[in-house]
Amino acid sequence: MRDRIYRTEALILRRNDFGEADRLLLVATPGGKQRIIAKGVRKTTSRLAGSVELFTHVTLLLAVGRNLDIVTQGQVHQHFPNLHASLERLGCAYYTAELYDQFVQDEQDHRPAFRLLVDTFAALDTSRNPDLILRAYELHLLHVMGYRPQLQRCVVSHELLTEEASLFSPMLGGVLAPSQNDADRNALPMSLSAFKLLRYLQTQPYATIERMNLSGAVRNEVAGLLHSYLARLLDRELKSTVLLEELYRQSVPSISSMSA
């Protein structure tokens, strides 16, 4: 039986005003997603306000409530200040949070997904390649949630893939060997550069991404391949995807203009 008062690490994913001074929060925790309430937090005298800001990594003390548990104390670990200072990074944060929200169920204990989420926010806060951080996050989240795309062996024949592979199948969940190109007539064309980038991002830590300098064409191609796979799995488009695309079109210099 859960204690009436308990402590949990959390990352604030979403918040909505409620009543005259309260806020409803959606938080990620090691124990999964959770909806909670911060009472009186919108009052200027509230001591909780700073610890329930959007996209903040915190430890919360919660009291068990009748419908929603109630925030009684909060301690901030990371504010991620650069996320709020850049529209591009903020868009990336919204996308990261929405993708986690789609894959992780309420109160589904999933510590690897939570740790990945916190690490991703930290990387987005400082990286010079936030778009590549997102691609790596997509691949790592797919792995921990059991939907890892097959990039080392053919998704049909299971033979080792070579540089001759040129088709990615969102329907089948991975790359096709040339001998299996007819297995999915709707498979997407994939350049060798995109294939190499996908395999690299799937296995490497975020720190290695800082050394990468890639053309906008390759970045966009990989984003499109993963977007198609995620849309197939989720059977819907994410709202934050539209926001990100608009921000990238407006950014100067734009991602698509980065040198190879």
Side-chain angles (χ1 to χ4, degrees), residues 192-256:
L192 177 57
S193 295
F195 183 29
K196 288 181 175 180
L197 180 56
L198 281 167
R199 298 218 291 190
Y200 185 85
L201 293 176
Q202 189 179 59
T203 59
Q204 297 302 309
Y206 288 150
T208 64
I209 293 175
E210 298 313 294
R211 301 193 295 268
M212 305 183 76
N213 188 22
L214 300 164
S215 70
V218 174
R219 293 168 185 253
N220 292 336
E221 182 183 357
V222 167
L225 293 172
L226 288 174
H227 175 81
S228 296
Y229 183 44
L230 288 164
R232 178 88 185 184
L233 289 174
L234 299 173
D235 197 28
R236 64 183 295 270
E237 297 286 343
L238 300 184
K239 296 178 181 179
S240 52
T241 301
V242 178
L243 171 63
L244 269 179
E245 290 174 349
E246 182 62 26
L247 288 173
Y248 285 152
R249 279 196 296 267
Q250 295 177 2
S251 64
V252 180
S254 68
I255 287 177
S256 59

Side-chain angles (χ1 to χ4, degrees), residues 57-258:
H57 178 207
V58 295
T59 292
L60 299 175
L61 189 65
L62 298 170
V64 175
R66 179 176 299 179
N67 298 312
L68 296 172
D69 293 352
I70 302 162
V71 181
T72 61
Q73 293 181 26
Q75 178 184 355
V76 175
H77 295 300
Q78 300 176 83
H79 270 301
F80 308 119
N82 294 325
L83 289 183
H84 298 274
S86 161
L87 283 177
E88 180 187 345
R89 293 182 195 275
L90 188 60
C92 290
Y94 274 107
Y95 177 79
T96 301
E98 188 178 7
L99 198 58
Y100 174 92
D101 187 19
Q102 289 299 307
F103 275 101
V104 178
Q105 302 300 312
D106 291 358
E107 299 186 9
Q108 173 191 9
D109 192 333
H110 210 304
R111 294 174 187 275
F114 177 74
R115 291 263 61 90
L116 175 62
L117 183 70
V118 173
D119 290 345
T120 301
F121 271 84
L124 287 173
D125 191 53
T126 59
S127 177
R128 59 185 287 267
N129 289 310
D131 64 308
L132 295 182
I133 296 294
L134 287 190
R135 304 291 80 80
Y137 173 66
E138 291 165 342
L139 287 162
H140 292 316
L141 182 64
L142 287 166
H143 172 64
V144 300
M145 299 307 300
Y147 298 101
R148 178 187 175 100
Q150 183 54 259
L151 303 176
Q152 304 297 327
R153 291 181 176 272
C154 174
V155 70
V156 175
S157 66
H158 307 297
E159 61 189 285
L160 283 172
L161 294 167
T162 68
E163 294 185 354
E164 301 302 314
S166 61
L167 290 177
F168 178 87
S169 171
M171 180 182 71
L172 298 175
V175 176
L176 298 172
S179 63
Q180 303 298 325
N181 280 354
D182 293 333
D184 177 10
R185 296 185 180 278
N186 295 314
L188 303 174
M190 176 188 65
S191 69
L192 177 57
S193 295
F195 183 29
K196 288 181 175 180
L197 180 56
L198 281 167
R199 298 218 291 190
Y200 185 85
L201 293 176
Q202 189 179 59
T203 59
Q204 297 302 309
Y206 288 150
T208 64
I209 293 175
E210 298 313 294
R211 301 193 295 268
M212 305 183 76
N213 188 22
L214 300 164
S215 70
V218 174
R219 293 168 185 253
N220 292 336
E221 182 183 357
V222 167
L225 293 172
L226 288 174
H227 175 81
S228 296
Y229 183 44
L230 288 164
R232 178 88 185 184
L233 289 174
L234 299 173
D235 197 28
R236 64 183 295 270
E237 297 286 343
L238 300 184
K239 296 178 181 179
S240 52
T241 301
V242 178
L243 171 63
L244 269 179
E245 290 174 349
E246 182 62 26
L247 288 173
Y248 285 152
R249 279 196 296 267
Q250 295 177 2
S251 64
V252 180
S254 68
I255 287 177
S256 59
S257 68
M258 292 182 182

